[in-house]
Amino acid sequence: MLLSKQRNKWTMTIAGTVLLVMIMILILNYFKYQYQAVVTSERERLTDIADYLDMRFNAYLVGLNLLAGHNDIRYLEADRARPDLLAAAKALDVVNVALYDYKGKLISDCWPLTAQVESPFSKICAKNDFYSVLTGGANVSGRMLDSSQENAYVSVQVPVLGENQVTGVLAAYIPISDISLAVTREVMPERQYVFVMDGSGQFIHHPRLSEFFPESKSFKLRMNELLFQKKGIVETSSPIDGVDKMIIYTGLNNTQWRIGTAIPVSDMYARVFNKALEDAKNFLLLIMCLGLLYGVWYQARRHEQEREQLKLERMMCVNQLAAGIAHEIRNPLTSIQGFIQLMLKRSDKPVPQEHFKIILSEIGRIDSLISEFQMLARPLKDPLIEKVDICKLLNDVLLLMKGQFYDKTIALDLQLPSTGCCFVLGDIGQLKQVFINLVKNALEAVPVGGNVTIMVACQQDMMAITVENDGEGIPLEIIEKLGTPFFTTKANGTGLGLSVCYSIVQNHGGKIMVSSTLGKKTVFTVLLPAALEQGMVQNK
Ligand code: ADP
Ligand code: MG
C-alpha cells in the first residue's frame, strides 16, 4: 500500500515535470516563431525597396543598352554622340549620360559646351567598376564622387561594342540623393531606419550619413564584414550610436549592394512581446468562449443525466413496491391455503371454529393491506384543495377512534388555539387519512395508561399540528427509514401508513417532521399551508 502510494507520487512528479518541460518548449518555440515572423516581415519590407531599385536600374540598363547599339555612339565621335546623350539623359531622368573610350577618356557628355570648366565627369572615379564593364558586362557602380569631390553619384554603365570587342563605355549618373528618395518612400517605425551600402562598404543611403562621411577605412571594413555573412541578420553594437541593434539585410539583383534595416534589440523584443500579448488575449477569449460552450453543454448533459436518474429511481421504486406487495399478500395467502388444505384432508371431521377465525383474520389483513396501498396510490392524483377547518377535522378523527383510547386507558389531550386560525388549504379526505394514520401509530406506540397529546398552532403562513405520545421512542437509524414503503417494526404492520402520510403532505406543499426522545416520547409534526382568511368551512 505504502509502496504503491510512493510509486504514484513518483509517477505524478515525473508526469508533472514532463508536462512542465513540454509547456516550456512550446512557449519557447512560440516566441521563436514570433521572432521569425518579425524578421520575415522586416525582410519583406526590404525586398519591396530592393525590387523597386532593381526595377529602376533595369530601366536605365535597357535604355543605355539600346543607345550603345546606335551607330552615333558606336563610332565614338563627340559631335554625333552628343545630341543622343542629351536626349537619353532627359528620357532616363539622370543628371548626365557620358560616353568614354575603352581607356576611360571622355568623348562626350551632357555637360554644357559653353562652360569654362571641364566636365566633372571627365575623369573616371570608380575605376574598378569601369574596367569590369570592359570585360563585357553591364554594371551598377558603388558610391563615387565627381572630380569636384563634392557630389556623390552612382553610375549605371554598359559596354559599347565595336566590330568584335568593347570599344567604349556608356555611363548614366544618378545622384545618391535620388536613391535616398526612393528608399525613404517606405514609412519606418520609430527608432528604426533603412540603409543602403555598396559592395565596398560605403553607404549610399543612411539617415545619418553626414555624421560619419567620409567613412574611415576600419568602419567600412567592419560594416562589410558584418554584412558579408549569408544569414541576412546580425546583432551588433552600432558603431554610430553604440546601441545594440539587430541588422536585417538583403541583396539586389543588379549590384553588389546590400539594403538593410537596423532595429534596436530592445524594440525587436518589445515587438515580439506585444505580438505574444495580443495572441494571449485572443487565446484567452477563445478559451472563455470554449469554456462557456462547455458549461452550456455540461449543464444540458447533467440535466439529461438527472432526468435519466429520476426515471431509473422511479422504476426501482415501482419494482420495490411490487415486490413488497407480492410478499405481503403472499404471507396471509399461504396461511389461508394451508388451513383450507388441512380442512380438505380432514373432510370427515368438523372444522374447528378457530381455523375459520384465522382464515377470516388473514383475509382481513389482505384487505387492510390493499386499502392502505390504495391510499398510497391515491395522493398521486391531484388533491382537491379547499379551505379546511383543521380543528373540526381532528375532532372528527378522534371521535372515530375514541373506543381505542378507552380500551387502552390512554389519556387524550387535544389543545386547540383559543383564537380561530384553524384553517388550512387541503383535501379533506386525504388530510383525514394522514391524521388517522398518525393517531393510530401513536395509539400503537403508547403503553397502557400513557398519554397522547394533539396540538394545533399557527406558525407564520403554516399550521403546525403535532401528535405526541409517550413510549419507547424511535432510534435514530429507524427515524431515517420512516416513510419508506413497507418499512415496519410491528409484527402485523404493513409499513404503508407513514408512506401514505408523507406523500399526501408533500402533495399539499407541507412537510412532516419527527423528533423522538428514547424511552420517553415521540412527536410527529405536520406543517400545512394555512388559509389565513376565515371563510366558509367545507368540512363534511
Ligand atoms: P405500520 O404502522 O404498519 O408499522 P407505519 O408506516 O405507520 O407502518 O409506521 C412505520 C413504523 O414507524 C412503525 O412500524 C414504527 O416502528 C414506527 N412508528 C410510527 N409511528 C410511531 C410512533 N408514534 N412511535 C413509535 N414508533 C412509530
Ligand atoms: Mg401505522
Side-chain angles (χ1 to χ4, degrees):
M1 185 76 175
L2 201 78
L3 209 76
S4 85
K5 247 189 183 174
Q6 218 160 24
R7 200 177 297 155
N8 258 352
K9 213 172 127 189
W10 271 109
T11 322
M12 291 291 282
T13 316
I14 291 171
T17 316
V18 169
L19 200 77
L20 212 78
V21 169
M22 271 165 68
I23 290 174
M24 297 263 285
I25 291 175
L26 223 82
I27 292 176
L28 226 86
N29 277 341
Y30 169 80
F31 276 103
K32 237 180 177 170
Y33 166 78
Q34 284 301 359
Y35 176 84
Q36 275 308 325
V38 173
V39 172
T40 308
S41 86
E42 284 308 323
R43 191 156 286 144
E44 271 167 13
R45 194 204 298 275
L46 294 178
T47 313
D48 279 353
I49 302 173
D51 285 350
Y52 177 74
L53 287 177
D54 266 329
M55 212 175 66
R56 272 185 72 168
F57 290 140
N58 272 337
Y60 295 139
L61 288 168
V62 169
L64 289 180
N65 270 325
L66 275 174
L67 190 63
H70 201 274
N71 279 345
D72 290 350
I73 301 294
R74 287 177 68 206
Y75 290 122
L76 301 180
E77 286 172 13
D79 293 344
R80 282 180 75 178
R82 188 173 164 84
D84 291 337
L85 297 179
L86 282 168
K90 201 169 168 204
L92 295 176
D93 193 21
V94 292
V95 289
N96 193 12
V97 178
L99 177 65
Y100 302 91
D101 69 9
Y102 73 98
K103 285 181 186 153
K105 186 175 161 256
L106 178 72
I107 290 169
S108 179
D109 69 353
C110 305
W111 190 255
L113 287 173
T114 48
Q116 299 300 312
V117 272
E118 193 189 16
S119 165
F121 300 96
S122 57
K123 300 223 166 50
I124 299 302
C125 302
K127 287 203 177 63
N128 286 341
D129 293 323
F130 182 83
Y131 293 130
S132 76
V133 181
L134 289 181
T135 57
N139 187 304
V140 178
S141 75
R143 191 182 79 204
M144 58 200 279
L145 296 171
D146 63 12
S147 37
S148 72
Q149 298 292 310
E150 275 173 14
N151 304 313
Y153 300 92
V154 289
S155 70
V156 179
Q157 302 158 340
V158 297
V160 178
L161 294 171
E163 288 306 315
N164 281 323
Q165 64 198 49
V166 178
T167 54
V169 170
L170 198 59
Y173 291 91
I174 305 135
I176 61 167
S177 54
D178 263 21
I179 307 288
S180 292
L181 273 177
V183 171
T184 47
R185 283 175 353 132
E186 279 277 326
V187 183
M188 299 304 288
E190 223 183 310
R191 284 167 34 102
Q192 185 184 340
Y193 59 84
V194 175
F195 62 84
V196 182
M197 231 171 89
D198 67 16
S200 58
Q202 300 184 113
F203 282 102
I204 292 190
H205 167 76
H206 190 289
R208 295 167 70 177
L209 183 59
S210 55
E211 288 174 39
F212 51 85
F213 180 80
E215 306 93 325
S216 69
K217 211 164 187 179
S218 65
F219 180 89
K220 273 196 223 171
L221 260 172
R222 173 143 181 239
M223 290 312 289
N224 225 10
E225 232 168 64
L226 278 178
L227 301 184
F228 206 67
Q229 298 161 16
K230 286 221 168 92
K231 281 193 301 183
I233 182 164
V234 277
E235 190 183 331
T236 178
S237 154
S238 164
I240 304 160
D241 52 19
V243 175
D244 279 344
K245 286 185 181 163
M246 202 67 87
I247 297 178
I248 302 166
Y249 58 94
T250 183
L252 263 80
N253 290 334
N254 286 311
T255 66
Q256 294 281 306
W257 296 7
R258 265 144 299 164
I259 175 160
T261 180
I263 315 164
V265 173
S266 54
D267 282 22
M268 185 89 177
Y269 289 130
R271 259 190 241 178
V272 171
F273 182 74
N274 281 343
K275 275 203 159 195
L277 208 72
E278 215 167 280
D279 280 358
K281 261 194 247 163
N282 290 340
F283 184 68
L284 221 73
L285 214 74
L286 188 81
I287 291 284
M288 267 163 68
C289 287
L290 284 178
L292 219 73
L293 274 175
Y294 177 76
V296 171
W297 172 80
Y298 182 76
Q299 277 296 334
R301 214 183 74 143
R302 240 186 62 176
H303 277 308
E304 183 64 28
Q305 274 176 347
E306 271 170 12
R307 266 205 300 275
E308 287 288 315
Q309 183 70 19
L310 212 73
K311 229 159 95 184
L312 212 75
E313 271 170 21
R314 256 189 227 146
M315 290 283 287
M316 272 167 65
C317 202
V318 168
N319 285 350
Q320 225 177 1
L321 261 175
I325 295 163
H327 176 78
E328 291 298 320
I329 293 180
R330 184 165 290 140
N331 282 345
L333 271 182
T334 314
S335 79
I336 294 170
Q337 191 187 28
F339 277 108
I340 293 178
Q341 276 169 350
L342 202 72
M343 287 176 205
L344 280 176
K345 262 190 204 161
R346 301 187 188 167
S347 51
D348 50 325
K349 289 182 188 168
V351 182
Q353 284 296 304
E354 268 313 299
H355 289 191
F356 282 121
K357 273 187 193 163
I358 294 173
I359 288 172
L360 277 176
S361 91
E362 290 299 271
I363 290 173
R365 182 165 161 66
I366 292 175
D367 186 50
S368 73
L369 257 170
I370 287 171
S371 56
E372 288 215 50
F373 183 68
Q374 266 179 333
M375 265 298 157
L376 185 69
R378 200 176 295 161
L380 294 178
K381 288 189 213 152
D382 284 340
L384 187 70
I385 301 290
E386 55 193 336
K387 206 167 182 179
V388 180
D389 183 349
I390 200 76
C391 303
K392 185 170 185 305
L393 185 140
L394 285 172
N395 270 318
D396 290 351
V397 167
L398 292 173
L399 203 68
L400 275 175
M401 306 177 85
K402 228 174 191 169
Q404 295 174 46
F405 280 92
Y406 190 75
D407 288 347
K408 274 182 92 176
T409 57
I410 290 164
L412 171 69
D413 185 11
L414 176 62
Q415 297 176 9
L416 300 173
S418 48
T419 51
C421 117
C422 278
F423 293 93
V424 297
L425 289 172
D427 181 307
I428 296 175
Q430 289 183 8
L431 290 182
K432 245 184 203 167
Q433 188 61 40
V434 170
F435 293 107
I436 288 173
N437 277 337
L438 292 181
V439 174
K440 206 170 141 225
N441 277 350
L443 269 173
E444 283 163 0
V446 79
V448 175
N451 293 293
V452 172
T453 311
I454 300 169
M455 284 178 286
V456 178
C458 197
Q459 284 186 2
Q460 290 165 348
D461 51 349
M462 301 292 264
M463 290 291 284
I465 303 104
T466 48
V467 180
E468 183 183 322
N469 65 274
D470 301 343
E472 290 300 307
I474 316 172
L476 201 69
E477 64 274 15
I478 289 187
I479 286 188
E480 284 166 5
K481 290 181 189 155
L482 295 183
T484 311
F486 302 109
F487 171 77
T488 179
T489 55
K490 297 168 195 164
N492 289 321
T494 59
L496 289 174
L498 281 182
S499 290
V500 172
C501 295
Y502 276 73
S503 60
I504 290 176
V505 173
Q506 206 174 8
N507 253 14
H508 276 70
K511 66 177 176 183
I512 296 183
M513 292 172 297
V514 190
S515 73
S516 185
T517 317
L518 277 182
K520 232 176 157 186
K521 62 172 182 178
T522 302
V523 184
F524 276 80
T525 307
V526 182
L527 287 177
L528 287 169
L532 294 174
E533 283 170 49
Q534 292 201 7
M536 264 286 295
V537 181
Q538 295 173 23
N539 217 344
K540 293 166 204 162

